[in-house]
Amino acid sequence: MTLVQGGPNDHALPSRPNGTYYDLPQVKAAPFKSGAVGTYVFLAGLSGASALFSALLSRRRRRYGDSAIRRADALSMLAPTLGAGLLIYDLKTPQRFYNMLRIFRPSSPMSIGSWLLVGFGGAATAASAGEMLGRHMKLGWLRHLGACFRVPAALTGVGLATYTGSLFAATSTPRWAAAPKSLSVQFGASSVASAATALAFAEPRSDLRRSLDLVAGAALAVELAAAQSARRAYRAAGIQADGPMPIRDQLGTLLPLGLIAASAVCSPGPQRTLSRLACLAVLGGSLAMRIQTIEAGKSSAADPRVSLRLARRTHSAMRK
Amino acid sequence: MEVHQRARNYPESGFDAPIPDEAELTAQTRVRPGRSYGFFTDTTLCIGCKACEVACKEWNNLPADDLGLTGNSYDNTGALSAHTWRHVSFIEDNVRAEISRPFQSGWLMMSDVCKHCQTAPCVEACPTGALFHTEFRTVVVQQDICNGCGYCVPACPFGVVELSALDGKAHKCTLCYDRLKGGLEPACSKACPTDSIQFGEMEALEERALRRVRDLEARGIDDAYLYGVPGSPGAAGGIERLNAFFLLTAAPERFNLPVAPSRPSDRTMPSLAAGITAVAGLALAALFLFGRSDRT
């Protein structure tokens, strides 16, 4: 059917929009509870990255011992327990939570994430339980069995720490859709930073603590760069910018980055104090960043000029 | 429009049972599974009577939303919602001019509805499979499956689907799925007194719509265009075609319709890949740093 090219339908579109419909919202805001979902996203990142660290550390078990692995295992249990609870709490018909596992839909990050959470929950529980029970009951084979689940837990953990970015990006909410790649890089890097500093917080060995802090520093730098590129995309899309760098970003990334840099040249005692302060800033900042991303997305949906301009930009880009 | 021959078999106004294939008498089409059905909403014929809104509420037993005066012309409905599946927009455009154009003059009225996208972002977003394409290629939420996760709500580029606070499920126009199964045309199009809303098979509807654009052009209305047919505004960015499409004479933005809606699921994989790459890079850095400590 030739409906367009050269047809009577081709020329008629007025070239410029003359206003919106009484400035009423053009898209609907997500009905997510910002606090509950933001906390889940934070916990998913913390747990996912912790499982990654416990797999990495189990490769250096001889050097660093078992204690750091056990702490990482404990952190990895937060998402499948508390996190899953928060997700179910956010459902408007929570008694049907199991319908999430009725199908697998690869186009939906919500479906990908549900399966990731289930897979991660199983693998991380098996790995932690094998480690813990094997140690207490002195059963070597149980520890080896648990160790088989380290890699699956780490891989699903990486997915769990990042899919939440694409969950928001794959919507029609202007602020989330404007920077799809930056958003998940920001989420993933923030997850790595929060898990690394949380492990450093309780780490008595100064060499491992310094290494973890360095990883956290690198992750914070990546997060900063991603946040910066996201802000550029927001400005280009005409989305209300929250200044060159909001105070939340400064406290959550720049401050801990400075603390970590300062701690690198300190002796172990003060190093530990600075590292712990950095950890608190990172954890707080990471949680706040997620909640603020959800809030800002919801409010960006209210302005029809933003969503309509975004659509028109895509359109003219396609015509070229 | 001619009366269908079979209509003579039903001279009374009351019936004991539905007329078989009633849509043939009211919309010149038989509803058969496997074919694609939709709405053609011609805004140049809309008189803003809101009979579609009322018929929809009546047939689907939908509760009233908060009613009040919005101050936005005669539009006191506001927007499509979980309980409002047809919404007539009103725009007063220089209505007091001494000379006014034919076909809506300064009054722009449009009965908005779920677009029943053929690549539907809500279906692609739904993690439970509650949202699906029916055998009539319409998009429906299965109420016995939806768990109210709400992900379809921000997915929709037209702001259509919404969760109901009354039952915690997502709701939107079903294109009268139950009526189609019974051979009837949807309630809104049947109630429309000017045939501004037409129901039919997609191919026939699109041809009819194109004829209407040419017809209007011949009568001097040169700014009429279709919104939502393949290749036109509204059907872009991976959304191939809207089974509820429109004939407009003003920019789509004036009705809060995006010129080029984008398909949210196109962003899933690039976003996921970027995030995983970043975390994998940091994991390699960590592996290196943990190894390096061995030597210090």
Side-chain angles (χ1 to χ4, degrees):
Chain A
M1 211 169 167
T2 51
L3 278 175
V4 219
Q5 272 73 40
N9 203 31
D10 201 31
H11 66 282
L13 174 72
S15 58
R16 294 182 62 219
N18 20 3
T20 66
Y21 189 70
Y22 301 105
D23 278 347
L24 292 170
Q26 187 262 317
V27 289
K28 287 196 166 47
F32 307 146
K33 297 182 190 87
S34 303
V37 175
T39 308
Y40 162 74
V41 173
F42 166 72
L43 291 178
L46 181 62
S47 289
S50 293
L52 175 65
F53 279 119
S54 84
L56 293 176
L57 287 170
S58 66
R59 288 177 59 90
R60 305 267 183 251
R61 196 187 283 269
R62 233 173 275 158
R63 172 74 181 154
Y64 299 121
D66 301 337
S67 62
I69 299 173
R70 281 201 304 279
R71 281 191 288 273
D73 281 347
L75 287 177
S76 76
M77 286 292 96
L78 285 173
T81 51
L82 192 55
L86 285 169
L87 279 188
I88 293 172
Y89 165 72
D90 187 57
L91 293 178
K92 305 300 176 288
T93 307
Q95 64 271 27
R96 288 187 188 169
F97 73 92
Y98 52 81
N99 276 2
M100 290 294 190
L101 307 178
R102 205 177 148 261
I103 59 164
F104 172 61
R105 190 157 271 169
S107 59
S108 166
M110 184 79 95
S111 180
I112 296 173
S114 302
W115 286 103
L116 273 175
L117 185 58
V118 169
F120 176 82
T125 307
S128 323
E131 177 79 28
M132 200 173 69
L133 293 176
R135 205 173 88 89
H136 281 293
M137 300 158 80
K138 304 227 177 339
L139 295 173
W141 65 271
L142 202 56
R143 280 181 91 160
H144 288 299
L145 187 68
C148 299
F149 290 95
R150 288 253 171 250
V151 174
L155 292 178
T156 47
V158 171
L160 203 63
T162 50
Y163 92 88
T164 43
S166 71
L167 178 99
F168 294 117
T171 62
S172 297
T173 297
R175 192 181 157 117
W176 296 339
K181 291 179 187 168
S182 310
L183 199 62
S184 52
V185 171
Q186 213 181 331
F187 278 26
S190 182
S191 306
V192 172
S194 57
T197 54
L199 290 174
F201 190 93
E203 183 53 54
R205 292 179 58 108
S206 83
D207 57 345
L208 181 55
R209 198 167 63 233
R210 282 178 197 275
S211 295
L212 284 166
D213 276 346
L214 278 177
V215 176
L220 288 172
V222 172
E223 187 192 338
L224 262 177
Q228 214 52 44
S229 106
R231 261 191 289 277
R232 255 202 313 281
Y234 300 151
R235 263 198 301 277
I239 296 164
Q240 182 124 39
D242 33 19
M245 180 176 280
I247 189 84
R248 186 251 320 144
D249 281 10
Q250 294 175 25
L251 290 179
T253 49
L254 282 185
L255 173 69
L257 210 52
L259 289 170
I260 288 170
S263 77
V265 291
C266 290
S267 57
Q271 194 273 339
R272 190 160 200 193
T273 312
L274 289 176
S275 161
R276 287 185 158 176
L277 284 174
C279 168
L280 296 178
V282 167
L283 292 182
S286 186
L287 175 63
M289 185 264 283
R290 267 53 169 263
I291 296 176
Q292 199 263 340
T293 300
I294 299 175
E295 282 290 314
K298 285 193 200 168
S299 58
S300 77
D303 187 351
R305 272 159 306 204
V306 173
S307 48
L308 289 170
R309 193 185 302 135
L310 213 62
R312 209 163 245 272
R313 263 165 27 106
T314 327
H315 188 51
S316 30
M318 276 178 354
R319 285 197 153 184
K320 273 169 201 165
Chain B
M1 205 165 277
E2 280 173 38
V3 174
H4 195 275
Q5 205 140 34
R6 272 180 57 217
R8 291 177 224 281
N9 304 339
Y10 305 96
E12 303 299 322
S13 48
F15 305 105
D16 298 331
I19 301 172
D21 284 318
E22 195 210 65
E24 195 179 24
L25 310 189
T26 61
Q28 295 81 45
T29 185
R30 280 170 184 248
V31 185
R32 291 285 179 268
R35 297 188 199 159
S36 187
Y37 294 90
F39 289 129
F40 164 41
T41 305
D42 182 348
T43 61
T44 58
L45 292 176
C46 183
I47 53 168
C49 71
K50 302 190 196 179
C52 50
E53 287 189 17
V54 176
C56 177
K57 289 254 181 197
E58 284 288 328
W59 178 264
N60 294 298
N61 223 346
L62 296 170
D65 282 323
D66 284 337
L67 291 175
L69 298 178
T70 60
N72 302 334
S73 185
Y74 286 81
D75 178 5
N76 294 315
T77 309
L80 293 171
S81 76
H83 310 132
T84 299
W85 301 347
R86 271 278 177 190
H87 160 232
V88 182
S89 317
F90 289 77
I91 300 167
E92 295 178 35
D93 210 2
N94 206 12
V95 287
R96 294 187 197 284
E98 286 185 11
I99 301 167
S100 54
R101 290 158 21 109
F103 302 104
Q104 288 215 337
S105 60
W107 287 96
L108 300 174
M109 287 157 287
M110 185 195 93
S111 179
D112 198 9
V113 69
C114 168
K115 315 299 177 291
H116 295 275
C117 312
Q118 281 320 284
T119 314
C122 59
V123 174
E124 292 189 316
C126 181
T128 63
L131 271 152
F132 78 123
H133 283 281
T134 69
E135 64 271 39
F136 308 114
R137 289 304 294 171
T138 55
V139 178
V140 172
V141 191
Q142 298 175 80
Q143 293 304 318
D144 53 341
I145 291 168
C146 176
N147 65 9
C149 78
Y151 195 45
C152 50
V153 177
C156 177
F158 301 100
V160 172
V161 62
E162 194 183 45
L163 293 184
S164 166
L166 298 176
D167 69 352
K169 318 272 182 328
H171 295 274
K172 64 168 205 72
C173 164
T174 66
L175 219 136
C176 282
Y177 190 29
D178 49 351
R179 290 175 64 96
L180 295 196
K181 283 185 173 183
L184 286 82
E185 75 167 305
C188 57
S189 61
K190 192 178 177 188
C192 180
T194 63
D195 252 355
S196 168
I197 303 171
Q198 300 178 31
F199 165 79
E201 232 186 294
M202 284 311 290
E203 214 169 305
L205 272 190
E206 283 174 354
E207 268 173 37
R208 201 186 301 168
L210 207 58
R211 267 206 309 280
R212 175 69 177 164
V213 173
R214 293 211 185 95
D215 180 43
L216 285 170
E217 216 166 45
R219 299 204 216 173
I221 307 295
D222 58 357
D223 54 1
Y225 66 97
L226 299 182
Y227 177 92
V229 296
S232 75
I239 299 173
E240 305 151 22
R241 137 188 288 130
L242 309 180
N243 269 29
F245 64 100
F246 301 83
L247 187 153
L248 305 176
T249 54
E253 279 92 345
R254 300 215 59 192
F255 302 99
N256 252 1
L257 296 171
V259 170
S262 72
R263 183 180 171 186
S265 70
D266 282 347
R267 294 184 278 274
T268 304
M269 282 308 150
S271 172
L272 205 54
I276 288 174
T277 309
V279 174
L282 289 168
L284 281 178
L287 195 61
F288 168 75
L289 285 168
F290 294 160
R292 188 200 58 147
S293 300
D294 274 332
R295 277 173 260 123
T296 50

